[in-house]
Amino acid sequence: MSVNGAGRNVSGWRAYIGSTAGGAGVVTAEFAPESGALKELARTDAVTSPSYLAVSADSRLLYAVSETPDGAAGAFSLAGERPELLAPPAPVHGSAPTHLTPHAGHLLTANYRSGSVSALPLRADGAPTEPGPGGVLQHHGSGPNPDRQTGPHAHAVVADPSGRWVLSVDLGTDSVRVCDIDPGSGELVMRREIAMRAGSGPRHLRFHPRGHLAYVINELDPAVTTCRWDAVRGLLTPLGETPVLPEGGVTPTLPSEFVVSADGRFGWAANRGDDSIAVLALEEDGEAPRLVTTVPSGGDWPRDLALHPEGRYLYAANERSGDVTWFAVDADTGIPERGGSLPVPSASCVVFAR
């Protein structure tokens, strides 16, 4: 363990934990490199319902959505001992943003309730400002589920590894849209819409470390869809689905997140309802995921799953039980072993910065 003379951990890593409405705001936690344990250092409620967080590429800034009916997003400086909001959160011109990604001089948000994606220009200091003309892409369509798919519900927006394309995942329309973004104006232009299986409810997307594949975790049917990714043409091609819940698992189960190891050997899915973490071996160069086992998530309703950047520890944000549970990951099998947990009311997201 690396410590200074006063005994404080100076490994350099800290965790930042978001929470949904009525929760703890953004919690800063110290990271213990020898165990993966988290210890709370500070809280801030400067952004309402910061349900999803992202860290800038240089680790200087923390971005947070405000998952509210009006919808907003803000930026915190990480220069000091606690995050400091740079400016009042900027409106996203969409409702209930649930995901965000900094990219091409903009902060991209996926707005669940309005079914849209927004591109917020970033000031010189990194704070977002409201979208300009063409900076909001409205999705259209619906799906067969009468309770969840009567209209579009954008749930995630990510940039592909090449930096050329923006992909938005829509739970309501069972599709992934591939878009261009103008780095100057922030205008979003849809180039193609790729259909996923009807009623699957795609929620989040993760790329394989090599960039040749993408994994789409489905919320309405507990499975992950493996897709081939062509970065030259911006083409996503579904190859097949792998269940993330074994026979006899709790139903209904609504998967929330999928993460992939840096070496591309393993993937992990968070299962709400079954309250488990699925372990998948990514065989045949990642094209053939295989469900190995599931382990308890350590709490109730794991809304997010995060792998520490060094790959040794996995974290589940259990929203309903109000905790973040950490696990040591077996390097040979990928199976997580529970280490402990940190109480965080309405925990919904975990990210790391150093």
Side-chain angles (χ1 to χ4, degrees):
M1 179 177 179
S2 178
V3 296
N4 64 11
R8 186 175 68 84
N9 185 318
V10 290
S11 69
W13 290 106
R14 283 185 173 175
Y16 298 92
I17 304 164
S19 58
T20 49
V26 176
V27 170
T28 302
E30 184 179 79
F31 166 78
E34 79 287 354
S35 65
L38 301 180
K39 178 182 178 182
E40 182 174 337
L41 297 174
R43 298 185 182 192
T44 174
D45 60 0
V47 171
T48 302
S49 190
S51 63
Y52 200 84
L53 310 174
V55 177
S56 63
D58 58 10
S59 291
R60 294 189 308 109
L61 301 173
L62 178 71
Y63 292 103
V65 297
S66 179
E67 189 182 339
T68 56
D70 292 338
F76 294 88
S77 169
L78 299 181
E81 284 296 303
R82 58 178 295 157
E84 297 292 338
L85 193 65
L86 292 176
V92 301
H93 294 184
S95 181
T98 55
H99 192 269
L100 80 174
T101 297
H103 175 65
H106 292 77
L107 186 63
L108 309 176
T109 69
N111 312 313
Y112 180 81
R113 190 173 301 175
S114 56
S116 59
V117 172
S118 302
L120 285 66
L122 298 176
R123 304 186 322 194
D125 64 357
T129 60
E130 63 183 296
V136 178
L137 178 68
Q138 179 63 53
H139 292 184
H140 299 280
S142 60
N145 187 309
D147 297 321
R148 300 291 307 277
Q149 295 184 310
T150 57
H153 293 299
H155 213 302
V157 57
V158 299
D160 88 305
S162 75
R164 169 70 176 81
W165 307 97
V166 172
L167 289 81
S168 60
V169 183
D170 197 300
L171 184 151
T173 63
D174 291 320
S175 60
V176 177
R177 289 164 174 80
V178 180
C179 309
D180 282 329
I181 180 171
D182 185 316
S185 68
E187 182 181 10
L188 291 161
V189 179
M190 189 181 78
R191 296 305 181 189
R192 58 181 52 87
E193 182 177 1
I194 292 89
M196 300 287 113
R197 180 170 54 82
S200 60
R203 177 182 171 97
H204 281 191
L205 181 151
R206 293 279 184 171
F207 283 97
H208 187 279
R210 282 186 49 209
H212 67 306
L213 299 171
Y215 303 99
V216 179
I217 189 73
N218 300 313
E219 178 170 336
L220 301 184
D221 194 359
V224 61
T225 303
T226 302
C227 304
R228 184 172 292 114
W229 172 243
D230 182 340
V232 175
R233 295 187 293 166
L235 182 61
L236 193 69
T237 304
L239 301 176
E241 294 186 12
T242 305
V244 294
L245 191 67
E247 290 187 15
V250 173
T251 55
T253 283
L254 308 176
S256 61
E257 182 60 287
F258 189 74
V259 294
V260 182
S261 62
D263 60 10
R265 294 174 57 216
F266 299 108
W268 299 270
N271 290 322
R272 296 170 298 174
D274 193 64
D275 294 336
S276 65
I277 298 171
V279 184
L280 282 75
L282 305 181
E283 299 174 342
E284 298 182 22
D285 201 23
E287 290 193 7
R290 174 177 58 87
L291 179 62
V292 175
T293 189
T294 59
V295 300
S297 71
D300 183 3
W301 211 250
R303 175 157 169 165
D304 188 45
L305 204 58
L307 188 66
H308 186 272
E310 293 177 346
R312 295 172 55 198
Y313 303 107
L314 189 67
Y315 297 80
N318 296 301
E319 184 178 12
R320 292 182 178 174
S321 54
D323 60 80
V324 174
T325 301
W326 58 86
F327 303 81
V329 176
D330 186 290
D332 295 322
T333 66
I335 297 174
E337 181 179 353
R338 187 183 187 278
S341 64
L342 173 70
V344 179
S346 301
S348 61
C349 180
V350 183
V351 296
F352 290 89
R354 66 184 310 178

